Amino acid sequence: QHWPADLDYTAQRVVIIGSGATAVTLGPAMADKARSVTILQRSPTWMTSAPSVDPLAERLKRRLPARTAHGALRWKNVVMGTFFYQLCQRRPAVAARMLLGQAAKQLPADFDIATHLTPTYGPWDQRMCLIPDGDFFNALSDGSMRMVTDRIDQFTETGIRLESGEDLEADIIVSATGLDLVACGGIHLTVDGQPVEPGERYVYRGFMLSGVPNLAFSFGYTNASWTLRSDLTARAVCRLLNRMRRRSARSVVARPEQAEMPREPFLTLTSGYVARAFEVLPKQGPVAPWRIRQNYILDLLDARFNDRGDSLIYDEPVGDQPEREMITATPLA
């Protein structure tokens, strides 16, 4: 987010701190011009590679009408992605062998996979890094990039000193160490003049906050294409607006049937940036419609056959004030 527009890294020694999506894509992109690129990670991340152009997609587009090909490819990706995620969750040892075997085929025989590419957590307990066209492995193989797994002791005048005692010389250090999550894009919410803390609310069907009228937000899947759930959310909001129109309702609010529910994390990933945001992000409950599933197929079936609007209250006053300003939701044409 803070990349200098005029930065010239030609023939420079670059150290990238991190092993997430930013580091994995940035390293190979810099390796062709930099004098050296070192990926410095505290602990490994699960990685998998895939071609940036799907050969099956190219064949289908040549043989089928565009709409038919798009639908077939969309469902192929959904089914394959869902299957792989479920495999990782239910048979993590099998998935781990597959991922490490794939990496071993693309790296030199002497590459230390156990140290640099074998995480301490199971596949998909945190988000997985996708390597386009295997370029990350290619850069490690041809020597234009190297990987170091260690902890930082201190920054020095010439680079970084590690806890092992090794010194990494660097002209440029890139910090790709994660992000800070915020709820609702950082918007400050109030209801009847009273501030609303999203971290104290529950999520209804993945797109509304309990006790906050006429508010919907979009949050995609962590284990699949982001837009899959965004599409379901858009359709759900349209159905809700149509219900409001039929009832001549000016507001709708989601309220749990139980006064108190277990407060479970909004995201079930074990990543550090997710754990740091526990108090900031809204919570989910133990059962639907307050439970967030990372499963597009089940959510799609739910949206089509089980969207009854449970736990929704129309024109229900919120707070102790007898009068409040109402927000009118205009139905989509």
Side-chain angles (χ1 to χ4, degrees), residues 207-208 216-217 232-242 332:
F207 70 91
M208 293 180 71
F217 62 90
L232 291 178
T233 294
R235 294 174 184 272
V237 171
C238 288
R239 288 194 298 272
L240 184 55
L241 290 172
N242 287 330
L332 300 178

Side-chain angles (χ1 to χ4, degrees), residues 32-47:
D32 59 342
K33 290 174 56 178
R35 175 179 170 184
S36 65
V37 173
T38 301
I39 302 293
L40 173 60
Q41 62 177 7
R42 181 175 55 189
S43 58
T45 297
W46 287 110
M47 303 178 185

Side-chain angles (χ1 to χ4, degrees), residues 51-64:
S52 55
V53 177
D54 186 346
L56 176 60
E58 296 303 302
R59 290 197 296 270
L60 288 180
K61 285 191 292 186
R62 289 194 298 267
R63 292 178 170 84
L64 297 174

Side-chain angles (χ1 to χ4, degrees), residues 46-49 84 88 94-104 123-124 128 137:
W46 287 110
M47 303 178 185
T48 184
S49 61
F84 183 61
C88 290
V94 174
R97 286 196 298 271
M98 289 174 55
L99 293 167
L100 296 178
Q102 180 195 61
W124 266 122
M128 192 171 299
F137 294 143

Side-chain angles (χ1 to χ4, degrees), residues 158-181:
T158 59
I160 298 174
R161 177 162 299 153
L162 305 177
E163 288 187 354
S164 64
E166 180 183 358
D167 286 311
L168 298 180
E169 294 187 343
D171 304 305
I172 297 172
I173 297 175
V174 181
S175 176
T177 52
L179 59 150
D180 293 324
L181 295 175

Side-chain angles (χ1 to χ4, degrees), residues 223-283:
N223 63 349
S225 173
W226 190 268
T227 53
L228 289 174
R229 180 181 273 155
S230 297
D231 181 54
L232 291 178
T233 294
R235 294 174 184 272
V237 171
C238 288
R239 288 194 298 272
L240 184 55
L241 290 172
N242 287 330
R243 289 195 191 110
M244 293 177 70
R245 180 180 61 184
R246 289 193 295 269
R247 293 167 175 258
S248 298
R250 295 180 298 166
S251 73
V252 61
V253 64
R255 287 196 182 282
E257 291 81 2
Q258 301 172 248
E260 291 292 333
M261 288 192 298
R263 298 172 75 246
E264 300 186 23
F266 179 63
L267 301 175
T268 57
L269 300 174
T270 62
S271 310
Y273 67 91
V274 174
R276 292 195 301 269
F278 174 78
E279 296 299 332
V280 176
L281 296 180
K283 306 302 180 287

Side-chain angles (χ1 to χ4, degrees), residues 128-206:
M128 192 171 299
C129 284
L130 178 64
I131 302 173
D133 298 316
D135 60 0
F136 186 83
F137 294 143
N138 294 338
L140 290 174
S141 297
D142 64 24
S144 60
M145 186 177 75
R146 73 174 183 133
M147 207 166 194
V148 175
T149 303
D150 206 334
R151 291 177 176 268
I152 296 174
D153 178 57
Q154 61 179 306
F155 289 88
T156 67
E157 292 183 358
T158 59
I160 298 174
R161 177 162 299 153
L162 305 177
E163 288 187 354
S164 64
E166 180 183 358
D167 286 311
L168 298 180
E169 294 187 343
D171 304 305
I172 297 172
I173 297 175
V174 181
S175 176
T177 52
L179 59 150
D180 293 324
L181 295 175
V182 296
C184 300
I187 298 172
H188 296 289
L189 302 174
T190 63
V191 174
D192 297 332
Q194 299 300 312
V196 173
E197 296 296 337
E200 299 174 358
R201 305 300 174 115
Y202 293 94
V203 175
Y204 172 81
R205 297 182 73 89

